[in-house]
Amino acid sequence: PTNNIKSSTNELDELFGSITVSSDNKIHIESSNSAGNLNPIDDCLPIFPITNANKTTSSITNTNEGATTEKGELFHDLQDLLFDQSTGQNIWSTKTSFQTIGSNQNKIPLNEIKSSSSLKSLETEYVFPIISLESIRPSPVNPSINIKLIHQTGVHCVLHIARDSPRPDVIVSVLSVTNTNTSNAINNFHFQAAVPKNMRIKLQNPSTSDLPVYNPILPAQAITQILIVSNPNKEPVRLNYKLSYYLSGEQINESGEIDNGFPSSIDLI
């Protein structure tokens, strides 16, 4: 083992030489190569054909320590190795341009950056008109639609079609919900509706979500909610609905479909 260690050390000395530091903090490399005229950095380079024999030496000076390091020959040899034999072009000399953003340009915060898909959806987002209940008049042509409910609890839902429309593609209707139950009130009434994909629907906020116990002496109270359907192709409207409410603490759920009686268009205002 001792002989192996010594022989390995000798081989390293022959390959890299001995490195000494003088009193003036300068690093000296003494190469053990027999050819003394060769640069010690060149001894470490791989053996490849070099096409450019002209070499220039550049130096980097450290102002703090006054040390000078030669690096020009190593980089020029690497430049020659990047010579493309197929195209005859020096890859090292190929310049690539980059676009930089100046400080005077507008910068967008990261949380405000949106993907192209989300921007596209915002551009094509449909804007529904806001309609007040006082401006709606019942249609003399299209009769009201009674929504059939399975549970006979005294709740009645009627869909009234409006006489006029603010736009050619819009159909306005009003949902009216009443309670004829003389024993129990209605709480947390919630109505949902859906139309085919080529149409759009918007439900404005209901007037209320609770109905008191029915009193035949007093005028009946009602929940009113405006439904706005966009039907640009004037196709037959098929409306799916789902509603729920609480009666004496018990939740009642209903669902169904309206495929007859809902108009495909109405006249403009």
Side-chain angles (χ1 to χ4, degrees), residues 200-218:
R200 293 190 176 109
I201 186 170
K202 177 180 175 61
L203 278 71
Q204 296 187 182
N205 295 330
S207 58
T208 183
S209 59
D210 301 330
L211 289 174
V213 176
Y214 175 68
N215 188 347
I217 300 176
L218 300 176

Side-chain angles (χ1 to χ4, degrees), residues 67 74 83 136 141 152 161 174 187 232 244:
L74 175 62
F83 184 79
I136 300 176
V141 179
Q152 302 298 322
I161 308 300
V174 179
N187 302 109
S244 63

Side-chain angles (χ1 to χ4, degrees), residues 39-51 55 73-82:
N39 191 295
I41 300 179
D42 293 338
D43 297 339
C44 300
L45 290 175
I47 301 175
F48 289 104
I50 297 176
T51 57
K55 302 177 183 179
E73 297 184 14
L74 175 62
F75 286 109
H76 281 285
D77 290 336
L78 291 176
Q79 177 182 356
D80 295 333
L81 294 178
L82 293 174

Side-chain angles (χ1 to χ4, degrees), residues 124-167:
T124 59
E125 183 178 359
Y126 186 85
V127 180
F128 284 91
I130 300 176
I131 302 175
S132 62
L133 186 63
E134 292 76 13
S135 64
I136 300 176
R137 298 292 180 269
S139 173
V141 179
N142 300 299
S144 301
I145 302 173
N146 291 314
I147 298 178
K148 297 179 181 180
L149 302 178
I150 298 176
H151 298 85
Q152 302 298 322
T153 59
V155 176
H156 300 274
C157 299
V158 181
L159 198 60
H160 302 278
I161 308 300
R163 181 188 65 182
D164 306 312
S165 174
R167 284 208 304 258

Side-chain angles (χ1 to χ4, degrees), residues 36-63:
N37 57 349
L38 295 178
N39 191 295
I41 300 179
D42 293 338
D43 297 339
C44 300
L45 290 175
I47 301 175
F48 289 104
I50 297 176
T51 57
N52 186 7
N54 296 326
K55 302 177 183 179
T56 57
T57 302
S58 61
S59 63
I60 298 175
T61 304
N62 190 335
T63 57

